[in-house]
Amino acid sequence: HVRALHRFFVDGSFDFGMDKATFKEFIAEALPNAAECASLLWDRFDTNRTKLVNALEVMAGLAVMCVGPILEKIQFIFDLHDFNGQGVLTYDEVVVAIFLSVSATVLISGKGVLPEESMMERFADEAFVIADVDIAAPLDKAGFTVWVIDRLRLEDAEDLSVKVGLREFLKRFEALQRAKKGNLSVTAGLSVSTEGPDEGPVVETQSSAEA
């Protein structure tokens, strides 16, 4: 369903920034059975009440949280940010891909803290180093995939049964801030508890990344 949403986004030549009316129409036309979720998604992402949401961020978050093999999720995130379809991402596009994926997961789940861009740049640096690619050159999908697998510490990402817990995902991307003595962490208008056990696999919605 998330891939269907992305195809509809590309075919419709939508802008990245959407107002509420456009966003609801976009969701309703692309996924008629999920139209009722549009308002919920809007409220999750328009946290600063700017009256605009980033469609790429929404799709990235749905991909991370949906049911589906981890490899498909990684490849979808890459494709989502491969704007010219050349199979590579520039350094800046890698930074954006990481930032939007992590921030969207925080917003949808209501857990963790929104990432800082400087931290996402450090992750991008790491990805290029692991791929042995200069940051002035583009990173291909294979290099991006290898880096994500390494960062998530997966031994066999091709194993379709492999799942990564929400807390573990946020921890690996430095978006899990443990509050002192069970207090709440407050970030960008979100009050979220970071105490307690792992919240389970990052597969909480009913849509599929490949459908």
Side-chain angles (χ1 to χ4, degrees):
H1 290 76
V2 184
R3 283 199 178 277
L5 196 63
H6 182 226
R7 286 195 295 269
F8 188 78
F9 174 83
V10 173
D11 293 343
S13 299
F14 288 93
D15 291 331
F16 296 144
M18 293 185 181
D19 60 24
K20 190 171 186 177
T22 302
F23 181 73
K24 293 179 71 173
E25 179 182 356
F26 168 64
I27 297 295
E29 291 187 11
L31 302 172
N33 294 332
E36 61 185 26
C37 298
S39 293
L40 175 61
L41 286 172
W42 177 270
D43 291 339
R44 292 277 179 153
F45 282 88
D46 186 26
T47 56
N48 293 323
R49 302 298 181 261
T50 60
K51 299 183 178 180
L52 285 175
V53 298
N54 186 323
L56 287 185
E57 186 175 34
V58 174
M59 289 185 282
L62 290 174
V64 173
M65 296 293 290
C66 76
V67 175
I70 288 177
L71 271 180
E72 289 182 11
K73 293 169 182 275
I74 297 171
Q75 292 167 0
F76 175 79
I77 294 297
F78 183 95
D79 294 340
L80 186 64
H81 295 85
D82 180 14
F83 304 123
N84 55 21
Q86 294 186 352
V88 294
L89 299 182
T90 65
Y91 178 85
D92 288 341
E93 287 170 342
V94 171
V95 172
V96 171
I98 301 169
F99 180 83
L100 292 185
S101 300
V102 178
S103 64
T105 303
V106 170
L107 292 174
I108 288 182
S109 68
K111 301 294 182 180
V113 294
L114 294 176
E116 297 181 1
E117 185 174 348
S118 60
M119 183 63 69
M120 302 303 103
E121 290 174 349
R122 182 170 70 79
F123 289 143
D125 290 344
E126 180 182 274
F128 278 76
V129 168
I130 288 178
D132 194 24
V133 175
D134 189 275
I135 62 172
L139 182 69
D140 63 18
K141 185 183 292 186
F144 182 81
T145 301
V146 167
W147 168 72
V148 177
I149 291 172
D150 181 77
R151 172 126 294 273
L152 293 177
R153 299 184 182 178
L154 300 176
E155 294 184 0
D156 184 9
E158 294 185 0
D159 182 351
L160 299 183
S161 66
V162 170
K163 295 180 176 63
V164 178
L166 175 58
R167 285 177 61 85
E168 185 67 16
F169 177 85
L170 296 175
K171 177 182 178 181
R172 295 300 171 203
F173 286 97
E174 305 291 340
L176 183 63
Q177 178 176 309
R178 183 171 295 279
K180 295 180 180 179
K181 297 182 180 180
N183 291 333
L184 297 179
S185 295
V186 181
T187 303
L190 289 178
S191 295
V192 297
S193 174
T194 54
E195 293 297 322
D198 195 307
E199 298 297 329
V202 188
V203 292
E204 295 299 326
T205 68
Q206 296 301 310
S207 57
S208 168
E210 187 59 34

